[in-house]
């Protein structure tokens, strides 16, 4: 439904503002963010739309096309909501952070939310909701800031209010996304750039719906191993500020001191950071063959060095290697299950995807969910 009509169906009036923000795919740079490295993401052509208006009282009311529950709060008592209303915490958290940033508020607001992102596909609907909510609230309350600050406000809302310790990738890509571009983020300096993406590139997402039973503890373990690797390498080079600052050569020279596990984690992070640099060169020259090779190389590193892949993801990537219209593929996101992203030409179509899904289904007890998208624009005010 049109976001204006959605709002009218809930509140019987036209909204003051309508905004949109895209979902995203992690393009390359796996687990480099919290290690101070480089990462690339692409905004997709689907996302979250928000419509909002100020109220005359202090009430806050949020409704969503996809949710039966009505989330309610008040400007004088902002706190996280529970159970079936917890979806609203992303917008409430942004509201809370905007007030901390100096936004003047004298009355509440009502908001409607709609989405055309596939559920559970790892395309960061939360960041899209944060960015679209931020722009909507900024518009009705007269608050302006930079694109980078919108991303930071969204990240702080997720960290501080929702309680999810995410990095800046999701919000940065949703904020800075642009059609036919990749967003490149230096996570240590927290700077954002765009790199041209050849027109006509397609993205296919194969969501396995597999999630390792110990995924949270595995994330924590990888984080700890990376920290240990950094501390060891810092003894060899006191100038290091983060693990991603280390060179692959320094890692090799300290292989024995690192030990097998920390050595593999350090190799992945340093080589993956280098892959982001090489990807920037490949994309700037339109060399999709080289870009694809880097994507396959990234997955191989995740599989064998960072060990955050799984048989389901590996099978999909291996099958995609044999298709001429596929430039490259890799797991996207945290791993230990989840989804594979394939970068393809227009010749790759539903028939290829379904054939792969059938082969996957013969090996495992289910088929992956398939989603096709292209690059899209970042967070924006529509009307």
């Amino acid at each position: 439904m049109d976001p204006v009509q959605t709002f009218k169906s809930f509140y019987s009036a036209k909204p003051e503002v309508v905004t949109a923000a895209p979902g995203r795919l992690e393009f390359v740079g796996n687990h480099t963010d919290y290690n101070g490295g480089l990462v690339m993401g692409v905004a997709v052509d689907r996302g979250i739309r928000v419509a909002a208006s100020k109220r005359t009282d202090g009430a806050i009311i949020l409704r969503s096309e996809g949710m039966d529950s009505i989330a309610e709060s008040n400007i004088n008592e902002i706190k996280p909501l529970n159970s079936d209303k917890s979806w609203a915490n992303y917008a409430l958290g942004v509201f809370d952070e905007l007030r901390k940033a100096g936004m003047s508020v004298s009355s509440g607001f009502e908001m409607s939310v709609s989405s055309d992102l596939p559920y559970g596909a790892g395309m960061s609907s939360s960041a899209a909701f944060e960015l679209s909510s931020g722009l909507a609230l900024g518009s009705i309350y007269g608050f302006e800031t930079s694109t980078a600050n919108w991303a930071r406000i969204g990240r702080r809302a997720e960290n501080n209010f929702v309680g999810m310790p995410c990095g800046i990738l999701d919000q940065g890509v949703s904020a800075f996304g642009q059609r036919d571009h990749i967003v490149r983020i230096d996570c240590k300096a927290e700077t954002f750039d765009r790199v041209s993406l050849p027109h006509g590139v397609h993205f296919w997402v194969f969501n396995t719906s597999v999630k390792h039973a110990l995924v949270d503890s595995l994330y924590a373990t990888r984080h700890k191993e990376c920290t240990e690797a950094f501390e060891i390498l810092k003894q060899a080079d006191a100038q290091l500020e983060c693990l991603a600052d280390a060179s692959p050569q320094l890692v090799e020279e300290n292989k024995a001191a690192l030990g097998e596990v920390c050595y593999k984690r350090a190799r992945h992070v340093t080589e993956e950071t280098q892959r982001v640099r090489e990807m920037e060169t490949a994309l700037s020259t339109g060399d999709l063959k080289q870009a694809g090779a880097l994507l396959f190389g990234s997955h191989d590193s995740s599989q064998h060095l960072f060990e955050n892949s799984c048989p389901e993801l590996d099978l999909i990537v291996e099958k995609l290697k044999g298709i001429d219209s596929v430039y490259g593929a890799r797991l996207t996101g945290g791993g230990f299950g989840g989804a594979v992203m394939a970068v393809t030409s227009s010749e790759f179509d539903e028939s290829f995807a379904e054939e792969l899904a059938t082969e996957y289904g013969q090996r495992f007890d289910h088929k992956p969910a398939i989603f096709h998208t292209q690059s899209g624009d970042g967070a924006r005010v529509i009307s």
Side-chain angles (χ1 to χ4, degrees), residues 74-92:
N74 190 284
I75 60 172
N76 298 315
E77 191 180 5
I78 296 293
K79 59 183 179 182
L81 303 179
N82 298 318
S83 64
D84 63 339
K85 298 177 177 61
S86 61
W87 61 269
N89 287 335
Y90 299 100
L92 292 174

Side-chain angles (χ1 to χ4, degrees), residues 27-342:
F27 190 72
V28 69
N30 195 244
H31 286 266
T32 54
D33 53 353
Y34 57 83
N35 287 298
L38 306 174
V39 63
M40 284 181 167
V42 59
V44 301
D45 57 5
R46 300 194 193 186
I48 303 286
R49 292 192 174 196
V50 159
S53 291
K54 275 194 294 187
R55 292 176 59 88
T56 57
D57 57 16
I60 295 173
I61 303 175
L62 301 102
R63 301 189 68 174
S64 171
E65 273 186 341
M67 301 290 177
D68 294 329
S69 60
I70 301 173
E72 296 180 287
S73 187
N74 190 284
I75 60 172
N76 298 315
E77 191 180 5
I78 296 293
K79 59 183 179 182
L81 303 179
N82 298 318
S83 64
D84 63 339
K85 298 177 177 61
S86 61
W87 61 269
N89 287 335
Y90 299 100
L92 292 174
V94 168
F95 180 79
D96 191 48
E97 289 297 332
L98 285 170
R99 293 183 75 170
K100 292 176 183 176
M103 186 176 77
S104 178
V105 174
S106 58
S107 63
F109 65 90
E110 48 199 23
M111 177 182 289
S112 66
V113 186
S114 55
S115 172
D116 59 0
L117 282 173
Y119 178 75
M123 302 180 80
S124 197
S125 58
S126 60
F129 189 15
E130 289 153 4
L131 268 293
S132 54
S133 297
L135 288 181
L137 294 170
S139 177
I140 63 176
Y141 290 112
F143 180 87
E144 296 182 1
T145 191
S146 67
T147 304
N149 277 340
W150 282 123
R152 294 179 183 119
I153 286 166
R155 191 262 309 272
R156 289 201 300 270
E158 194 151 346
N159 292 169
N160 301 333
F161 197 88
V162 179
M164 182 65 66
C166 65
I168 197 67
L169 169 68
D170 297 350
Q171 293 81 6
V173 174
S174 191
F176 281 90
Q178 185 177 333
R179 186 169 179 80
D180 294 331
H181 286 77
I182 298 286
V183 180
R184 174 190 179 275
I185 303 174
D186 182 327
C187 296
K188 184 174 74 170
E190 210 167 88
T191 56
F192 308 85
D193 299 290
R194 297 185 183 100
V195 181
S196 293
L197 181 70
H199 182 70
V201 170
H202 293 252
F203 298 90
W204 288 80
V205 179
F206 297 84
N207 183 20
T208 67
S209 300
V210 171
K211 183 178 181 181
H212 197 292
L214 301 175
V215 63
D216 292 335
S217 64
L218 288 168
Y219 282 151
T221 299
R222 292 297 181 277
H223 198 293
K224 180 174 179 288
E225 291 162 351
C226 289
T227 301
E228 290 175 359
F230 167 64
E231 294 298 335
I232 293 167
L233 292 173
K234 191 172 176 62
Q235 293 178 21
D237 182 354
Q239 300 301 311
L240 291 183
E241 296 180 13
C242 58
L243 181 56
D245 279 347
S247 66
Q249 180 182 354
L250 182 67
V251 173
E252 289 298 326
E253 290 171 352
N254 290 273
K255 183 176 181 179
L258 286 164
E260 181 182 0
V261 171
C262 285
Y263 166 72
K264 289 198 290 187
R265 308 302 183 248
R267 263 195 67 190
H268 170 79
V269 170
T270 55
E271 292 176 6
E272 186 78 346
T273 297
Q274 182 59 30
R275 266 188 287 274
V276 177
R277 296 190 182 98
E278 293 173 7
M279 181 66 76
E280 185 171 6
T281 300
L283 292 177
S284 65
T285 58
D287 189 347
L288 287 171
K289 182 178 180 181
Q290 174 61 12
L294 291 166
L295 294 177
F296 283 129
S298 174
H299 184 82
D300 185 69
S301 182
S302 291
Q303 181 181 357
H304 298 291
L305 295 178
F306 211 73
E307 297 176 296
N308 63 322
S309 188
C310 64
E312 291 87 349
L313 297 173
D314 296 338
L315 176 67
I316 293 172
V317 172
E318 192 60 35
K319 294 296 182 183
L320 287 164
K321 284 181 181 178
I323 302 174
D324 291 340
S325 53
V326 174
Y327 298 117
R330 58 177 290 269
L331 67 83
T332 180
F336 308 111
V340 167
M341 173 200 70

